[in-house]
Amino acid sequence: MKNSKLIKNTFLLVLGGLIVKVLGFVIKIFYTRILKDEGVALISLVSPTYSLLLTITSFSLPYAISKLIACKAERKSKIIFSSLYITFFINLIIIVLIFLLSNYISLYLLHDKRCTYLIKILCLTLPFVSVTSIIKAYFYGIENVIPVIFSNISEEILKLSLILRNENGIIS
């Protein structure tokens, strides 16, 4: 019984991951048309910094949460709430540091002053990404991958619809 659930969940994750990757591919085509060379270059310049910040703010808690939830079923809410407190504290520190150091990062590390505002805006998304990663880890821990797959696919569909809406001139 446990083995068939593992195979089913694995198949669903692979299928969901394939759909997300295809949608992400389509999204990149459209957003490169909208942003042109200069915008794509700025995003490519800031992406490694954003990835590093995501790694720092998540603090590898999603992996620990899914393991703890799977092992200790009676303490689920305590695990979730304590991890939320930890991530909010880490995110608050990182956001303050980035707002203070964004000029230095953009001028001396990235060598482009235009990245300052992009870094500040991207760091404001960190708490949202951290919370969603904790929620996804909870669902992985209880071995229910369907909400995670649905979340990933709906996120990509929302991105694509906003980009298409922008390309058609509805948002200027």
Side-chain angles (χ1 to χ4, degrees), residues 24 41-42 47-48 59 62-63 67-68 74 79 91 94 97 99 105 112-113 116 118 125 129 135-136 142 160:
L42 284 175
S47 289
F59 209 55
Y63 301 112
K67 176 67 176 161
L68 288 171
E74 68 278 353
I79 293 168
N91 279 303
I94 294 295
L97 282 174
F99 267 86
I105 293 170
D112 195 343
K113 178 72 173 154
T116 302
L118 190 56
T125 66
V129 175
I135 293 169
K136 288 177 183 180
I142 62 171
L160 183 60

Side-chain angles (χ1 to χ4, degrees), residues 68-119:
L68 288 171
I69 294 288
C71 294
K72 301 179 180 184
E74 68 278 353
R75 300 181 65 199
K76 290 178 187 175
S77 62
K78 185 173 182 172
I79 293 168
I80 294 297
F81 286 119
S82 59
S83 62
L84 283 173
Y85 291 135
I86 292 168
T87 54
F88 279 133
F89 181 70
I90 292 170
N91 279 303
L92 183 66
I93 292 170
I94 294 295
I95 288 172
V96 169
L97 282 174
I98 291 303
F99 267 86
L100 293 174
L101 298 174
S102 61
N103 286 330
Y104 176 80
I105 293 170
S106 63
L107 284 175
Y108 297 108
L109 298 178
L110 301 176
H111 301 290
D112 195 343
K113 178 72 173 154
R114 298 172 298 171
C115 294
T116 302
Y117 296 114
L118 190 56
I119 291 171

Side-chain angles (χ1 to χ4, degrees), residues 9-69:
N9 285 343
T10 303
F11 176 73
L12 288 173
L13 282 172
V14 168
L15 184 64
L18 177 68
I19 293 169
V20 167
K21 294 290 183 187
V22 169
L23 287 172
F25 173 73
V26 172
I27 287 169
K28 285 192 188 234
I29 291 172
F30 285 112
Y31 93 70
T32 52
R33 269 193 224 161
I34 294 170
L35 295 178
K36 309 285 188 243
D37 294 338
E38 191 172 331
V40 174
L42 284 175
I43 288 178
S44 297
L45 197 58
V46 173
S47 289
T49 306
Y50 184 63
S51 297
L52 177 67
L53 292 174
L54 282 176
T55 303
I56 292 169
T57 56
S58 72
F59 209 55
S60 295
L61 279 175
Y63 301 112
I65 290 168
S66 60
K67 176 67 176 161
L68 288 171
I69 294 288

